[in-house]
């Protein structure tokens, strides 16, 4: 019965096995290279109106660039996004489960799932996925950002591969290129002109593009900006009005005016 | 005692009488397809009758709230599992009705040792263009049908027929305000016809509900307006728009009372 609004339970009753959702990795650990599968850069940072969440667009397998148009910042519902680093198959599946779980909850219970409830749902998925994550075949390290309507503010959470949940005060990063960004953000907040969380939207966007360019400089698995191919990071803004994708035209003009020069 | 075929038929006929009686006091529900989407309209006495099922699909119900709730869960489960395992565009109202709802309702109706569902259900799906809008309604016995542009739940088939005739004679609504006015009017007619049918005595009623022919005389405009005013004064108008132009995957939107107030034609607003 789905009386509690639990979509995962409904799926299981329909014969959908958790192991097919999150494959365990019997016998495949020799193939696992967890350090390679997280090649990416995603981050979320607070600014004056809410949260900006950004992700580069490169998908890699070892040294090979598989795809340059990946969307790693996934809209889960009107007020939350999940940025993923890790094995795409598992990460996209998790995003789909979450999206449907929240829709199902809202439609069946006739009320929105609370922000905390949403965080818990992601934590549960990660916990169930732990065996695959430890074996390296299903590692997912997401950053979750949303607008808490009850408290009226943007919030950022990050997770380890086992599902532990941590709230970030100002920013959270994930993926192989993230250490560069973490360093810059730390420096800016400590010795910069003012806290990054106080930036207006335009300045925050310029900052995001510069951060992504810096990450790509030092991490071969991060795509950065490729102006020639019209490839810009995916940037989403989470605020009281909900989630909005920043159009690439806007990123393009900011990039050519404020990043290149 | 129901082993003999004749007894079974008799039992099913009794069941029809019982159910028809249950619906005679119910509120009709109207769905109208127009350029902007599909408008679903009914009035309620505290329990909602219109619900979201999936991205482009809404349910409207008439009858017992507990039964409606059970069927709503059946549809929600089916739609969300389908949408997850295949794709949201594979969730269609035709399949929900034919594979999901109809067998369940029919079986409950014919298992004469168990209680039937005291509900009539309307399912609406908004398409990318108006000609792809779909409306289905199902009776308590599991008989369903697809309706074009205009869908209705009412106590008896004859009322349905009259309203379909009336809809055909009407000008097609173009705006939301238009659609609301048309829907309210059709609701008013259905409500009046229902009231006049249920005031007939048992024998007449049997004749009236057995025939699917349209009721010949429709109430005049004054009576319709009076009926609507009287209802709006004491019950809650419930309106949902499946918004074709929402620009998102999700189209379902409940119109709030403050949104509705300016849209209701002046002559239908009850004098306070």
């Amino acid at each position: 019965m789905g009386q509690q609004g639990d979509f995962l339970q409904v799926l299981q009753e329909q014969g959908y096995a958790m192991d097919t959702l999150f494959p365990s990795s019997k016998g495949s650990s020799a193939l696992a290279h967890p350090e390679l599968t997280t090649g990416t850069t995603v981050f979320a940072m607070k600014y004056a109106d809410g949260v900006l969440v950004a992700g580069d667009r490169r998908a890699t397998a070892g040294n090979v660039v598989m795809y340059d148009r990946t969307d790693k910042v996934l809209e889960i519902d009107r007020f939350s996004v999940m940025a993923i680093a890790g094995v795409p198959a598992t990460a996209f599946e998790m995003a789909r489960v979450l999206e449907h779980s929240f829709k199902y909850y809202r439609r069946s219970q006739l009320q929105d799932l609370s922000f905390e409830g949403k965080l818990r749902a992601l934590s549960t998925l990660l916990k169930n996925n732990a065996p695959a994550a430890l074996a390296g075949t299903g590692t997912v390290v997401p950053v979750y950002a949303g607008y808490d309507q009850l408290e009226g503010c943007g919030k950022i959470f990050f997770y380890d591969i086992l599902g532990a949940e941590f709230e970030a005060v100002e920013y959270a990063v994930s993926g192989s290129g993230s250490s560069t960004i973490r360093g810059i953000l730390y420096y800016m907040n400590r010795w910069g002109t003012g806290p990054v969380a106080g930036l207006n939207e335009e300045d925050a966007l310029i900052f995001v593009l510069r951060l992504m360019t810096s990450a790509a400089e030092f991490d071969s698995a991060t795509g950065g900006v490729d102006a020639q191919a019209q490839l810009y990071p995916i940037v989403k803004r989470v605020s009281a009005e909900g989630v909005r994708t920043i159009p690439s035209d806007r990123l393009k003009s900011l990039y050519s005016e404020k990043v290149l020069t | 005692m129901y082993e003999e075929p004749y007894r079974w038929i008799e039992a099913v006929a009794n069941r029809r009488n019982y159910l028809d009686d249950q619906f005679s006091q119910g509120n009709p529900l109207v769905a109208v397809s127009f350029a902007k989407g599909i408008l679903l309209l009914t009035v309620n006495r505290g329990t909602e009758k219109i619900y979201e099922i999936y991205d482009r699909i809404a349910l409207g119900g008439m009858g017992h709230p507990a039964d409606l709730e059970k069927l709503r869960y059946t549809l929600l489960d089916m739609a969300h599992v389908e949408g997850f395992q295949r794709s949201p565009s594979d969730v269609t109202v035709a399949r929900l009705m034919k594979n999901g709802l109809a067998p369940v309702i029919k079986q409950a109706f014919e298992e004469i040792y168990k209680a039937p569902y005291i509900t009539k259900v309307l399912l609406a799906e908004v398409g990318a263009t108006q000609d792809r809008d779909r409306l289905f309604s199902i009776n308590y016995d599991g008989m369903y049908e697809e309706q074009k542009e205009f869908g209705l739940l009412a106590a008896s088939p004859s009322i349905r027929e009259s309203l379909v005739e009336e809809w055909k004679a009407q000008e097609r609504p173009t705006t939301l305000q238009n659609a609301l006015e048309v829907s309210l009017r059709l609701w008013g007619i259905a409500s009046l016809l229902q009231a006049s049918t249920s005031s007939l005595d048992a024998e007449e009623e049997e004749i009236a509900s057995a025939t699917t022919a349209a009721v010949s005389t429709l109430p005049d405009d004054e009576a319709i307006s009076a009926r609507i005013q009287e209802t709006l004064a004491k019950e809650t108008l419930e309106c949902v728009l499946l918004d074709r132009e929402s620009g998102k995957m999700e189209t379902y939107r409940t119109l709030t009372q403050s949104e509705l107030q300016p849209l209701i034609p002046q002559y239908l607003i009850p004098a306070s």
Side-chain angles (χ1 to χ4, degrees):
Chain A
M1 298 278 278
Q3 300 294 345
Q4 301 306 312
D6 184 351
F7 181 63
L8 256 186
Q9 200 187 335
V10 176
L11 271 184
Q12 282 163 327
E13 277 161 20
Q14 300 275 340
Y16 200 78
M18 277 303 264
D19 339 19
T20 61
L21 188 57
F22 305 120
S24 71
S25 51
K26 283 180 201 121
S28 60
S29 57
L31 298 169
H33 299 286
E35 73 280 6
L36 295 178
T37 50
T38 53
T40 203
T41 298
V42 292
F43 64 95
M45 73 179 209
K46 290 188 186 169
Y47 76 111
D49 305 331
V51 181
L52 285 179
V53 190
D56 79 303
R57 309 196 58 185
R58 177 167 292 177
T60 53
N63 291 326
V64 181
V65 176
M66 277 177 68
Y67 191 43
D68 250 341
R69 291 173 195 276
T70 322
D71 186 355
K72 301 168 189 170
V73 184
L74 307 170
E75 202 169 324
I76 302 295
D77 63 12
R78 268 188 67 205
F79 288 99
S80 43
V81 297
M82 181 167 94
I84 52 167
V87 176
T90 315
F92 285 127
E93 192 78 345
M94 278 185 187
R96 266 166 24 85
V97 171
L98 287 182
E99 191 191 340
H100 261 81
S101 298
F102 299 168
K103 274 197 217 177
Y104 181 81
Y105 183 90
R106 178 168 53 78
R107 288 170 182 155
S108 63
Q109 308 303 303
L110 306 173
Q111 64 180 47
D112 274 309
L113 185 59
S114 68
F115 192 71
E116 260 177 52
K118 292 177 186 173
L119 293 170
R120 196 93 285 278
L122 175 55
S123 204
T124 308
L125 289 184
L126 287 166
K127 202 181 79 196
N128 291 341
N129 185 49
L134 288 172
T137 51
T139 319
V140 178
V141 198
V143 171
Y144 194 91
Y147 196 82
D148 188 333
Q149 285 166 293
L150 274 181
E151 293 184 21
C153 62
K155 287 184 175 176
I156 303 171
F157 289 81
F158 60 101
Y159 294 81
D160 69 4
I161 59 171
L162 300 179
E165 163 197 309
F166 308 97
E167 178 163 10
V169 181
E170 283 159 332
Y171 56 85
V173 298
S174 188
S176 57
S178 61
S179 55
T180 307
I181 288 180
R182 206 173 169 194
I184 297 172
L185 279 164
Y186 177 77
Y187 184 95
M188 289 301 286
N189 275 337
R190 181 118 193 233
W191 297 290
T193 47
V196 174
L199 293 178
N200 65 25
E201 187 176 296
E202 174 149 329
D203 290 342
L205 282 172
I206 294 166
F207 192 51
V208 163
L209 288 171
R210 287 180 181 172
L211 285 173
M212 200 53 98
T213 308
S214 310
E217 180 71 19
F218 297 111
D219 177 35
S220 63
T222 294
V225 179
D226 186 347
Q228 216 174 1
Q230 302 278 327
L231 275 178
Y232 295 89
I234 299 279
V235 186
K236 298 201 185 206
R237 155 201 146 124
V238 185
S239 65
E241 294 99 66
V243 176
R244 194 164 58 83
T245 305
I246 308 295
S248 61
D249 287 349
R250 174 129 194 247
L251 296 177
K252 187 180 170 181
S253 68
L254 287 175
Y255 183 76
S256 61
E257 285 162 27
K258 302 284 186 178
V259 180
L260 279 179
T261 53
Chain B
M1 84 195 214
Y2 291 122
E3 287 85 51
E4 306 157 48
Y6 172 73
R7 296 283 190 189
W8 185 79
I9 291 166
E10 191 181 63
V12 168
N14 286 342
R15 206 164 245 238
R16 271 185 203 285
N17 286 341
Y18 162 69
L19 284 163
D20 281 332
D21 201 42
Q22 297 289 312
F23 287 105
S24 62
Q25 300 300 317
N27 268 320
L29 182 139
V30 176
V32 163
S33 151
F34 64 112
K36 197 175 157 50
I38 299 177
L39 180 73
L40 291 96
L41 177 147
T42 188
V43 301
N44 71 52
R45 303 177 192 116
T47 316
E48 289 168 25
K49 294 290 185 186
I50 308 175
Y51 297 96
E52 181 177 15
I53 295 297
Y54 206 67
D55 295 350
R56 314 183 69 88
I57 298 173
L59 165 151
M62 190 178 175
H64 200 290
D67 284 342
L68 191 62
E69 193 72 350
K70 250 193 237 169
L71 294 173
R72 188 171 77 89
Y73 265 95
T74 306
L75 289 168
L76 279 172
D77 287 4
M78 192 180 162
H80 286 78
V81 169
E82 174 84 14
F84 176 78
Q85 293 189 326
R86 293 202 175 100
S87 123
S89 53
D90 291 308
V91 181
T92 60
V93 89
R95 292 177 62 228
L96 286 178
M97 180 57 89
K98 291 172 190 171
N99 309 338
L101 213 49
V104 174
I105 294 182
K106 181 175 187 291
Q107 190 177 14
F109 177 71
E110 288 179 349
E111 280 183 355
I112 49 179
Y113 291 109
K114 290 188 190 155
Y117 287 109
I118 310 177
T119 43
K120 297 184 182 200
V121 173
L122 182 140
L123 290 179
E125 175 185 327
V126 69
T129 51
Q130 199 186 342
D131 59 345
R132 296 221 197 130
D133 283 355
R134 321 261 329 238
L135 294 165
F136 277 88
S137 64
I138 185 163
N139 201 7
Y140 56 70
D141 57 2
M143 273 297 275
Y144 60 86
E145 64 179 9
E146 187 171 359
Q147 291 152 323
K148 287 273 169 239
E149 294 179 330
F150 165 67
L152 177 81
L153 294 179
S156 78
S158 58
I159 297 175
R160 279 267 304 276
E161 289 306 312
S162 317
L163 266 286
V164 169
E165 292 303 313
E166 181 63 20
W167 164 257
K168 283 180 186 155
Q170 293 233 352
E171 219 172 292
R172 297 286 172 272
T174 50
T175 63
L176 179 60
Q177 187 159 16
N178 235 207
L180 185 77
E181 186 175 1
V182 169
S183 309
L184 259 178
R185 194 182 128 78
L186 292 169
W187 183 90
I189 300 174
S191 171
L192 279 173
L193 289 179
Q194 226 169 269
S196 65
T197 318
S198 67
S199 65
L200 301 177
D201 63 39
E203 201 175 316
E204 282 174 293
E205 194 181 334
E206 210 160 282
I207 296 163
S209 66
T211 164
T212 54
V215 181
S216 51
T217 50
L218 287 180
D220 59 31
D221 284 351
E222 208 170 302
I224 299 168
S225 302
R227 178 72 172 190
I228 294 169
Q229 281 185 344
E230 178 192 322
T231 312
L232 292 185
K234 56 179 197 238
E235 297 181 25
T236 314
L237 183 62
E238 187 182 348
C239 285
V240 162
L241 177 68
L242 289 178
D243 190 349
R244 202 192 312 285
E245 298 155 0
S246 75
K248 300 192 211 85
M249 288 284 278
E250 301 185 1
T251 58
Y252 184 97
R253 190 158 67 86
T254 305
L255 302 178
T256 59
Q257 293 303 321
S258 56
E259 230 174 318
L260 284 171
Q261 278 316 314
L263 295 177
I264 299 173
Q266 208 57 44
Y267 68 93
L268 294 178
I269 293 175
S272 51

PDB file of all heavy atoms in Angstrom, chain B residues 171-189:
ATOM      1  N   GLU B 171     -21.651  28.182 -28.081  1.00  0.00           N
ATOM      2  CA  GLU B 171     -20.436  28.648 -28.734  1.00  0.00           C
ATOM      3  C   GLU B 171     -19.247  28.101 -27.960  1.00  0.00           C
ATOM      4  O   GLU B 171     -19.289  28.034 -26.733  1.00  0.00           O
ATOM      5  CB  GLU B 171     -20.413  30.168 -28.711  1.00  0.00           C
ATOM      6  CG  GLU B 171     -19.874  30.776 -29.970  1.00  0.00           C
ATOM      7  CD  GLU B 171     -20.071  32.271 -29.952  1.00  0.00           C
ATOM      8  OE1 GLU B 171     -21.244  32.710 -30.027  1.00  0.00           O
ATOM      9  OE2 GLU B 171     -19.077  32.976 -29.834  1.00  0.00           O
ATOM     10  N   ARG B 172     -18.178  27.714 -28.653  1.00  0.00           N
ATOM     11  CA  ARG B 172     -17.007  27.165 -27.983  1.00  0.00           C
ATOM     12  C   ARG B 172     -16.292  28.241 -27.166  1.00  0.00           C
ATOM     13  O   ARG B 172     -16.043  29.325 -27.681  1.00  0.00           O
ATOM     14  CB  ARG B 172     -16.029  26.584 -29.000  1.00  0.00           C
ATOM     15  CG  ARG B 172     -16.592  25.412 -29.780  1.00  0.00           C
ATOM     16  CD  ARG B 172     -16.648  24.183 -28.897  1.00  0.00           C
ATOM     17  NE  ARG B 172     -17.348  23.090 -29.547  1.00  0.00           N
ATOM     18  CZ  ARG B 172     -18.657  22.898 -29.484  1.00  0.00           C
ATOM     19  NH1 ARG B 172     -19.426  23.723 -28.811  1.00  0.00           N
ATOM     20  NH2 ARG B 172     -19.218  21.876 -30.087  1.00  0.00           N
ATOM     21  N   PRO B 173     -15.948  27.949 -25.912  1.00  0.00           N
ATOM     22  CA  PRO B 173     -15.236  28.947 -25.119  1.00  0.00           C
ATOM     23  C   PRO B 173     -13.813  29.161 -25.653  1.00  0.00           C
ATOM     24  O   PRO B 173     -13.201  28.227 -26.165  1.00  0.00           O
ATOM     25  CB  PRO B 173     -15.189  28.330 -23.725  1.00  0.00           C
ATOM     26  CG  PRO B 173     -15.379  26.879 -23.921  1.00  0.00           C
ATOM     27  CD  PRO B 173     -16.182  26.698 -25.166  1.00  0.00           C
ATOM     28  N   THR B 174     -13.328  30.390 -25.550  1.00  0.00           N
ATOM     29  CA  THR B 174     -11.976  30.673 -26.029  1.00  0.00           C
ATOM     30  C   THR B 174     -11.028  31.046 -24.886  1.00  0.00           C
ATOM     31  O   THR B 174      -9.889  30.644 -24.873  1.00  0.00           O
ATOM     32  CB  THR B 174     -11.993  31.822 -27.049  1.00  0.00           C
ATOM     33  OG1 THR B 174     -12.739  32.893 -26.476  1.00  0.00           O
ATOM     34  CG2 THR B 174     -12.614  31.377 -28.348  1.00  0.00           C
ATOM     35  N   THR B 175     -11.524  31.813 -23.926  1.00  0.00           N
ATOM     36  CA  THR B 175     -10.655  32.225 -22.820  1.00  0.00           C
ATOM     37  C   THR B 175     -11.032  31.465 -21.548  1.00  0.00           C
ATOM     38  O   THR B 175     -12.055  30.786 -21.511  1.00  0.00           O
ATOM     39  CB  THR B 175     -10.828  33.723 -22.529  1.00  0.00           C
ATOM     40  OG1 THR B 175     -12.180  33.932 -22.116  1.00  0.00           O
ATOM     41  CG2 THR B 175     -10.538  34.542 -23.763  1.00  0.00           C
ATOM     42  N   LEU B 176     -10.198  31.644 -20.522  1.00  0.00           N
ATOM     43  CA  LEU B 176     -10.491  30.988 -19.245  1.00  0.00           C
ATOM     44  C   LEU B 176     -11.810  31.501 -18.667  1.00  0.00           C
ATOM     45  O   LEU B 176     -12.633  30.736 -18.166  1.00  0.00           O
ATOM     46  CB  LEU B 176      -9.334  31.233 -18.262  1.00  0.00           C
ATOM     47  CG  LEU B 176      -9.501  30.640 -16.863  1.00  0.00           C
ATOM     48  CD1 LEU B 176      -9.655  29.140 -16.928  1.00  0.00           C
ATOM     49  CD2 LEU B 176      -8.316  30.994 -15.970  1.00  0.00           C
ATOM     50  N   GLN B 177     -12.009  32.823 -18.779  1.00  0.00           N
ATOM     51  CA  GLN B 177     -13.239  33.426 -18.255  1.00  0.00           C
ATOM     52  C   GLN B 177     -14.467  32.840 -18.948  1.00  0.00           C
ATOM     53  O   GLN B 177     -15.454  32.470 -18.313  1.00  0.00           O
ATOM     54  CB  GLN B 177     -13.179  34.938 -18.468  1.00  0.00           C
ATOM     55  CG  GLN B 177     -14.330  35.666 -17.818  1.00  0.00           C
ATOM     56  CD  GLN B 177     -14.021  37.126 -17.597  1.00  0.00           C
ATOM     57  OE1 GLN B 177     -13.082  37.658 -18.189  1.00  0.00           O
ATOM     58  NE2 GLN B 177     -14.796  37.786 -16.770  1.00  0.00           N
ATOM     59  N   ASN B 178     -14.338  32.757 -20.269  1.00  0.00           N
ATOM     60  CA  ASN B 178     -15.340  32.134 -21.111  1.00  0.00           C
ATOM     61  C   ASN B 178     -15.663  30.705 -20.685  1.00  0.00           C
ATOM     62  O   ASN B 178     -16.819  30.321 -20.514  1.00  0.00           O
ATOM     63  CB  ASN B 178     -14.709  32.035 -22.491  1.00  0.00           C
ATOM     64  CG  ASN B 178     -15.566  32.689 -23.555  1.00  0.00           C
ATOM     65  OD1 ASN B 178     -15.481  32.283 -24.679  1.00  0.00           O
ATOM     66  ND2 ASN B 178     -16.384  33.647 -23.201  1.00  0.00           N
ATOM     67  N   ALA B 179     -14.594  29.933 -20.518  1.00  0.00           N
ATOM     68  CA  ALA B 179     -14.732  28.516 -20.166  1.00  0.00           C
ATOM     69  C   ALA B 179     -15.407  28.372 -18.807  1.00  0.00           C
ATOM     70  O   ALA B 179     -16.227  27.483 -18.601  1.00  0.00           O
ATOM     71  CB  ALA B 179     -13.361  27.844 -20.157  1.00  0.00           C
ATOM     72  N   LEU B 180     -15.059  29.284 -17.890  1.00  0.00           N
ATOM     73  CA  LEU B 180     -15.650  29.231 -16.558  1.00  0.00           C
ATOM     74  C   LEU B 180     -17.143  29.519 -16.621  1.00  0.00           C
ATOM     75  O   LEU B 180     -17.954  28.836 -15.987  1.00  0.00           O
ATOM     76  CB  LEU B 180     -14.953  30.226 -15.626  1.00  0.00           C
ATOM     77  CG  LEU B 180     -15.417  30.147 -14.182  1.00  0.00           C
ATOM     78  CD1 LEU B 180     -14.806  28.945 -13.496  1.00  0.00           C
ATOM     79  CD2 LEU B 180     -15.055  31.401 -13.414  1.00  0.00           C
ATOM     80  N   GLU B 181     -17.513  30.516 -17.425  1.00  0.00           N
ATOM     81  CA  GLU B 181     -18.932  30.869 -17.544  1.00  0.00           C
ATOM     82  C   GLU B 181     -19.730  29.710 -18.148  1.00  0.00           C
ATOM     83  O   GLU B 181     -20.777  29.322 -17.627  1.00  0.00           O
ATOM     84  CB  GLU B 181     -19.082  32.131 -18.402  1.00  0.00           C
ATOM     85  CG  GLU B 181     -20.523  32.629 -18.452  1.00  0.00           C
ATOM     86  CD  GLU B 181     -20.675  33.945 -19.199  1.00  0.00           C
ATOM     87  OE1 GLU B 181     -19.653  34.467 -19.692  1.00  0.00           O
ATOM     88  OE2 GLU B 181     -21.815  34.423 -19.287  1.00  0.00           O
ATOM     89  N   VAL B 182     -19.195  29.141 -19.225  1.00  0.00           N
ATOM     90  CA  VAL B 182     -19.863  28.019 -19.882  1.00  0.00           C
ATOM     91  C   VAL B 182     -19.991  26.828 -18.922  1.00  0.00           C
ATOM     92  O   VAL B 182     -21.051  26.223 -18.792  1.00  0.00           O
ATOM     93  CB  VAL B 182     -19.082  27.608 -21.158  1.00  0.00           C
ATOM     94  CG1 VAL B 182     -19.590  26.284 -21.701  1.00  0.00           C
ATOM     95  CG2 VAL B 182     -19.197  28.692 -22.211  1.00  0.00           C
ATOM     96  N   SER B 183     -18.883  26.526 -18.215  1.00  0.00           N
ATOM     97  CA  SER B 183     -18.901  25.374 -17.302  1.00  0.00           C
ATOM     98  C   SER B 183     -19.900  25.569 -16.173  1.00  0.00           C
ATOM     99  O   SER B 183     -20.619  24.643 -15.802  1.00  0.00           O
ATOM    100  CB  SER B 183     -17.520  25.141 -16.694  1.00  0.00           C
ATOM    101  OG  SER B 183     -16.553  25.095 -17.680  1.00  0.00           O
ATOM    102  N   LEU B 184     -19.907  26.779 -15.633  1.00  0.00           N
ATOM    103  CA  LEU B 184     -20.844  27.066 -14.543  1.00  0.00           C
ATOM    104  C   LEU B 184     -22.280  26.880 -15.000  1.00  0.00           C
ATOM    105  O   LEU B 184     -23.108  26.290 -14.298  1.00  0.00           O
ATOM    106  CB  LEU B 184     -20.660  28.507 -14.065  1.00  0.00           C
ATOM    107  CG  LEU B 184     -19.867  28.735 -12.784  1.00  0.00           C
ATOM    108  CD1 LEU B 184     -19.763  30.213 -12.499  1.00  0.00           C
ATOM    109  CD2 LEU B 184     -20.463  28.000 -11.598  1.00  0.00           C
ATOM    110  N   ARG B 185     -22.583  27.380 -16.198  1.00  0.00           N
ATOM    111  CA  ARG B 185     -23.925  27.278 -16.740  1.00  0.00           C
ATOM    112  C   ARG B 185     -24.321  25.811 -16.928  1.00  0.00           C
ATOM    113  O   ARG B 185     -25.398  25.385 -16.504  1.00  0.00           O
ATOM    114  CB  ARG B 185     -23.968  28.005 -18.087  1.00  0.00           C
ATOM    115  CG  ARG B 185     -25.349  28.257 -18.611  1.00  0.00           C
ATOM    116  CD  ARG B 185     -25.272  28.942 -19.960  1.00  0.00           C
ATOM    117  NE  ARG B 185     -26.081  28.193 -20.923  1.00  0.00           N
ATOM    118  CZ  ARG B 185     -27.397  28.278 -20.963  1.00  0.00           C
ATOM    119  NH1 ARG B 185     -28.031  29.070 -20.159  1.00  0.00           N
ATOM    120  NH2 ARG B 185     -28.081  27.555 -21.832  1.00  0.00           N
ATOM    121  N   LEU B 186     -23.395  25.036 -17.522  1.00  0.00           N
ATOM    122  CA  LEU B 186     -23.689  23.618 -17.740  1.00  0.00           C
ATOM    123  C   LEU B 186     -23.845  22.903 -16.399  1.00  0.00           C
ATOM    124  O   LEU B 186     -24.712  22.036 -16.240  1.00  0.00           O
ATOM    125  CB  LEU B 186     -22.574  22.975 -18.567  1.00  0.00           C
ATOM    126  CG  LEU B 186     -22.505  23.457 -20.013  1.00  0.00           C
ATOM    127  CD1 LEU B 186     -21.226  22.998 -20.683  1.00  0.00           C
ATOM    128  CD2 LEU B 186     -23.718  22.977 -20.815  1.00  0.00           C
ATOM    129  N   TRP B 187     -23.025  23.303 -15.441  1.00  0.00           N
ATOM    130  CA  TRP B 187     -23.148  22.709 -14.112  1.00  0.00           C
ATOM    131  C   TRP B 187     -24.530  23.002 -13.531  1.00  0.00           C
ATOM    132  O   TRP B 187     -25.182  22.126 -12.954  1.00  0.00           O
ATOM    133  CB  TRP B 187     -22.050  23.246 -13.185  1.00  0.00           C
ATOM    134  CG  TRP B 187     -22.110  22.589 -11.847  1.00  0.00           C
ATOM    135  CD1 TRP B 187     -21.465  21.457 -11.479  1.00  0.00           C
ATOM    136  CD2 TRP B 187     -22.917  23.001 -10.728  1.00  0.00           C
ATOM    137  NE1 TRP B 187     -21.810  21.121 -10.191  1.00  0.00           N
ATOM    138  CE2 TRP B 187     -22.699  22.049  -9.712  1.00  0.00           C
ATOM    139  CE3 TRP B 187     -23.798  24.053 -10.499  1.00  0.00           C
ATOM    140  CZ2 TRP B 187     -23.321  22.132  -8.479  1.00  0.00           C
ATOM    141  CZ3 TRP B 187     -24.420  24.141  -9.270  1.00  0.00           C
ATOM    142  CH2 TRP B 187     -24.177  23.194  -8.271  1.00  0.00           C
ATOM    143  N   GLY B 188     -24.955  24.260 -13.699  1.00  0.00           N
ATOM    144  CA  GLY B 188     -26.254  24.681 -13.180  1.00  0.00           C
ATOM    145  C   GLY B 188     -27.397  23.876 -13.789  1.00  0.00           C
ATOM    146  O   GLY B 188     -28.305  23.430 -13.077  1.00  0.00           O
ATOM    147  N   ILE B 189     -27.324  23.665 -15.108  1.00  0.00           N
ATOM    148  CA  ILE B 189     -28.377  22.889 -15.777  1.00  0.00           C
ATOM    149  C   ILE B 189     -28.394  21.452 -15.237  1.00  0.00           C
ATOM    150  O   ILE B 189     -29.446  20.911 -14.884  1.00  0.00           O
ATOM    151  CB  ILE B 189     -28.158  22.868 -17.312  1.00  0.00           C
ATOM    152  CG1 ILE B 189     -28.188  24.299 -17.862  1.00  0.00           C
ATOM    153  CG2 ILE B 189     -29.216  22.018 -17.993  1.00  0.00           C
ATOM    154  CD1 ILE B 189     -27.839  24.408 -19.331  1.00  0.00           C
TER     155      ILE B 189
END
